[in-house]
Amino acid sequence: MGMAINHLPQIREECEIREECEVFHMSDKQIREIMSRLHNDLLKGLAKDTHANSIVKCWITYIQDLPNGKERGKFLALDLGGTNFRVLIINLGENHFDMKSKIYAIPTHIMTGTGVALFDHIAECLANFMKENDVYKERLALGFTFSFPLRQLGLTKGLLQRWTKGFSCSGVVGEDVVQGLKDAIARRGDVQIDICAILNDTTGTLMSCAWKNHNCKIGLIVGTGSNACYVEKTENCEIFDGEPGKPELLINTEWGAFGDDGTLDFVRTEFDREVDTKSINPGKQIQEKMISGMYMGELVRLALVKYTRMGLLFGGRGSDLLFQRGSFYTKYVSEIESDKPGDFSSCMDVLEELGLSHATEADMASVRHVCECVSRRAAHLVSAGIATLLNKMNEPRVTVGIDGSVYRFHPHFHTLMCEKIAQLVRPGIQFDLMLSEDGSGRGAALVAAVACRQQLSYA
């Protein structure tokens, strides 16, 4: 009997933590309500009268043609969307696709410096890349993936709405980023690059998957940030001011901002509110902060801190690192959930890194439970969004092209999404989730290639 009595406090603590974690659970009724609110926000974004004040902007991408497999030639792609950027050269042949790429870092002082310095740095890396790949003297078309909120005014014109993901370069918000890059290339005067298109990573993901799979009509990112784009009927886009005559149009929802007006407050927790308050953009990107890799680890950390202070975890003893903001990386969530049931080796490694080597097996089970609750909620929120788009499009079969570190590396995200979307879509709608291969790189080159294909057909 003595043994069992010793375990009672542990069992009680585990139960209390499970009760506390209920705040991360969203009922089916709540999820349906989220879908209804998102659907209304999409309609507001697409309509002329409500677009200006809409939260989910539904920006026009000016892309009306998907790849058809007949694109040919050499193309450059530039992918700027986080603390690194990539330059790629892609050679499209009849049955082959050759690609070389290089990753360049963006130092913090450039991320928070001037726009001129940022674009000069990018132009210098572009020129160096062209030298290394023996195309320095060639004139090449470039697709520019720019994964920040962008108001597009054309295929090669886009105004930055606001910086996200830790950037705050001055003199860029409200300006045309294509012009910023063109000016930097012109200041150098040593390379010939035609910027054929600007797009975001979500659009690139869709284009990259559509090259292989013509059913791909939705692009989704679940990585540092979260966003989705989809193929809409042109007649539903009152704000479209491009060339008439084509039935479909790619819409960049910018759904990360869903909830910025309070529509998600009914499912947000104290941890969400704290993450938001301490972020560099309080009150903005509310849905993104509940989903994406930039915040998921911090949500888990804040929950662990609370439960430790309540005496429910680690015998009430935390560590300096646990109490330090940003110390619990999102990759830890994926690693901890990758352990098989009953095995806590990854969890033990993570807790040791955080100075919590005194954690018991019961503590580890609780830490894993917290991770599961936060990541499941993220997967269900994303699923609610995708199901809303699928129901709105109302097509019999749609492939969703997906990229981003959370979807790619989290062990259960794909399965959680498949199960939840299947529950939420209308009967008769079939869907597949397809991991994108290098959407923001290959996708950018494909947008440039399709643009060139169009120009050739009009020439």
Side-chain angles (χ1 to χ4, degrees), residues 47-71:
K48 211 173 229 163
D49 296 343
T50 47
H51 173 78
N53 297 318
S54 63
I55 296 293
V56 180
K57 278 296 176 199
C58 291
W59 297 114
I60 304 289
T61 65
Y62 295 87
I63 293 169
Q64 294 189 268
D65 298 281
L66 299 184
N68 62 9
K70 293 179 182 167
E71 297 77 22

Side-chain angles (χ1 to χ4, degrees), residues 46-47 60 232-241 249 251:
L46 292 168
I60 304 289
E232 180 58 275
K233 293 179 182 68
T234 308
E235 65 193 34
N236 292 341
C237 307
E238 289 183 9
I239 50 171
F240 181 56
D241 55 0
L249 177 63
I251 294 292

Side-chain angles (χ1 to χ4, degrees), residues 332-433:
Y332 290 165
V333 179
S334 294
E335 287 167 9
I336 287 168
E337 290 193 55
S338 295
D339 282 336
K340 303 237 176 333
D343 171 33
F344 297 102
S345 43
S346 297
C347 191
M348 200 183 294
D349 291 345
V350 167
L351 294 179
E352 276 183 12
E353 265 183 62
L354 291 170
L356 296 162
S357 48
H358 56 284
T360 64
E361 193 161 292
D363 288 330
M364 290 181 215
S366 293
V367 169
R368 179 152 78 199
H369 183 69
V370 174
C371 290
E372 286 167 352
C373 289
V374 172
S375 62
R376 186 188 302 115
R377 184 187 69 163
H380 287 179
L381 262 175
V382 173
S383 302
I386 292 298
T388 304
L389 292 179
L390 288 167
N391 289 344
K392 184 176 191 318
M393 293 161 77
N394 202 23
E395 294 205 9
R397 181 164 206 109
V398 174
T399 297
V400 184
I402 313 182
D403 205 349
S405 50
V406 173
Y407 178 80
R408 195 175 276 274
F409 299 122
H410 187 280
H412 313 303
F413 217 84
H414 172 85
T415 309
L416 288 166
M417 281 185 67
C418 286
E419 289 169 355
K420 189 48 81 176
I421 295 168
Q423 286 173 19
L424 299 172
V425 289
R426 283 199 195 113
I429 293 178
Q430 289 186 296
F431 67 93
D432 302 290
L433 307 184

Side-chain angles (χ1 to χ4, degrees), residues 55 162 256-263 265 268 272-289 295:
I55 296 293
R162 60 174 180 267
F258 178 46
D260 287 9
D261 58 350
T263 41
D265 287 358
R268 288 172 77 214
D272 296 301
R273 287 189 286 276
E274 183 164 349
V275 159
D276 179 46
T277 308
K278 298 271 170 65
S279 69
I280 62 165
N281 55 348
K284 303 280 185 215
Q285 303 295 101
I286 294 299
Q287 173 178 254
E288 183 168 86
K289 284 170 182 161
Y295 310 100

